[in-house]
């Protein structure tokens, strides 16, 4: 049942998420430009004019200004509202979706687990947006994801929530995914796949485990093919147009985290 408190909390979380997202979009742009993360006030990406506070309200200002800078009338990078919406959705899902999920674990994991998934979510949004807009997957967030994924797997085994076998299978899945993407990268001479993708699949496999990683890769190639066909048929791309693969890997990771088991059994039934 939808109650007032449910709506209030959801709105509050979404707004908080857009504020967090607006910081994240600044971090993304400054790391691309090679600047420090926290230096000075927000400026327009085109004319470098300082943005007044009333023009800097996440999402709302973008809508009120109709996507254009007040000073130079140049379009505001779509990256800003994109990150703000994604982070808003992440925070809402993290709270409501994670609420039941996090209750499955006991202390200290009941505190660490929510923090862990929030960090993973923010890193995935960061990588998704940066690869989509600039076609690169920076090393640092991929290594951070790797570090988190290793800690997560070890913590699950040590606390007895998962068995040693799950860890072995996750490591095997990570190795096989790495080799598979390395081969793709090697034989297409980096045209079909960037080396960033080769590195990214390792932490993704560790996060997902063997079975869900299989679902994830399957989905990534299907979504990639569908989007490719759509772009070509709308004249937005040719067969040679480079499309970053990271966003497909990341959206498939999210889908597999949420519905991996369902998709796996559904696919299994389809074959047999
Ligand atoms: Zn401007």
């Amino acid at each position: 049942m939808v109650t007032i408190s449910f709506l209030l909390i959801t709105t509050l979380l979404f707004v908080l998420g857009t504020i967090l997202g607006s910081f994240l979009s600044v971090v993304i742009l400054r790391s691309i430009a090679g600047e420090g993360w926290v230096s000075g006030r927000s400026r327009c990406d085109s004319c470098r004019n300082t943005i007044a506070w009333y023009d800097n309200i996440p999402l709302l200002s973008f809508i009120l200004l109709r996507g254009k800078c007040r000073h130079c009338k140049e379009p505001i990078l779509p990256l800003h509202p994109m990150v703000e919406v994604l982070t808003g959705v992440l925070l809402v899902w993290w709270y409501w979706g994670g609420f039941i999920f996090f209750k499955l674990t006991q202390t200290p994991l009941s505190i660490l687990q929510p923090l862990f998934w929030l960090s993973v979510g923010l890193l995935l949004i960061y990588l998704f947006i940066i690869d989509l807009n600039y076609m690169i997957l920076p090393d640092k967030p991929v290594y951070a994801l790797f570090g988190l994924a290793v800690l997560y797997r070890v913590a699950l085994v040590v606390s007895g929530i998962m068995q040693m076998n799950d860890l072995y299978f996750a490591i095997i899945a990570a190795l096989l995914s790495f080799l598979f993407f390395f081969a793709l990268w090697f034989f297409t001479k980096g045209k079909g796949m960037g080396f960033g993708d080769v590195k990214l699949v390792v932490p993704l496999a560790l996060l997902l485990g063997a079975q869900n990683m299989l679902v994830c890769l399957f989905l990534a190639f299907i979504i990639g093919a569908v989007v490719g066909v759509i772009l070509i048929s709308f004249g937005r791309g040719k067969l040679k147009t480079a499309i970053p693969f990271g966003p497909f890997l990341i959206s498939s990771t999210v889908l597999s985290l949420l519905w991996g088991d369902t998709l796996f059994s559904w696919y299994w039934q389809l074959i047999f």
Side-chain angles (χ1 to χ4, degrees), residues 132 220-234 236-237 243-244 248 251:
L132 189 68
F221 283 102
I222 290 179
I223 300 172
V226 170
V227 171
V229 166
I230 291 173
L231 284 178
I232 289 165
S233 56
F234 279 90
R236 291 288 302 275
I243 306 171
F248 301 130
S251 32

Side-chain angles (χ1 to χ4, degrees), residues 96-194:
W96 291 119
F99 212 57
I100 304 151
F101 174 68
F102 298 138
K103 277 193 177 167
L104 296 175
T105 51
Q106 291 125 21
T107 46
L109 283 182
S110 58
I111 300 160
L112 289 176
Q113 180 127 311
L115 283 176
F116 166 81
W117 283 111
L118 191 62
S119 315
V120 168
L122 289 172
L123 281 169
L124 289 179
I125 291 178
Y126 180 93
L127 288 166
F128 178 90
I129 292 290
I130 222 160
D131 199 22
L132 189 68
N133 288 278
Y134 301 98
M135 297 237 227
I136 50 160
L137 287 166
D139 280 342
K140 277 183 201 163
V142 175
Y143 295 158
L145 206 59
F146 176 75
L148 280 172
V150 170
L151 283 177
Y152 171 69
R153 282 283 155 192
V154 171
L156 286 182
V157 171
V158 170
S159 60
I161 294 170
M162 268 188 188
Q163 292 175 351
M164 208 60 193
N165 269 348
D166 296 314
L167 180 63
Y168 292 146
F169 280 125
I171 293 171
I172 292 168
L175 277 174
L176 287 177
S177 309
F178 180 83
L179 288 175
F180 177 58
F181 274 74
F182 185 83
L184 278 177
W185 172 80
F186 187 77
F187 289 115
T188 61
K189 297 185 177 72
K191 280 178 194 138
M193 207 64 69

Side-chain angles (χ1 to χ4, degrees), residues 43-51 68-76:
R43 290 170 184 279
C44 165
D45 300 314
S46 304
C47 65
R48 308 304 293 161
N49 262 310
T50 309
I51 301 168
K68 289 188 178 106
C69 168
R70 189 185 287 278
H71 302 284
C72 64
K73 306 286 176 223
E74 284 294 317
I76 297 169

Side-chain angles (χ1 to χ4, degrees), residues 234-246:
F234 279 90
R236 291 288 302 275
K238 301 188 180 93
L239 272 176
K240 278 191 282 181
T241 307
I243 306 171
F245 198 67

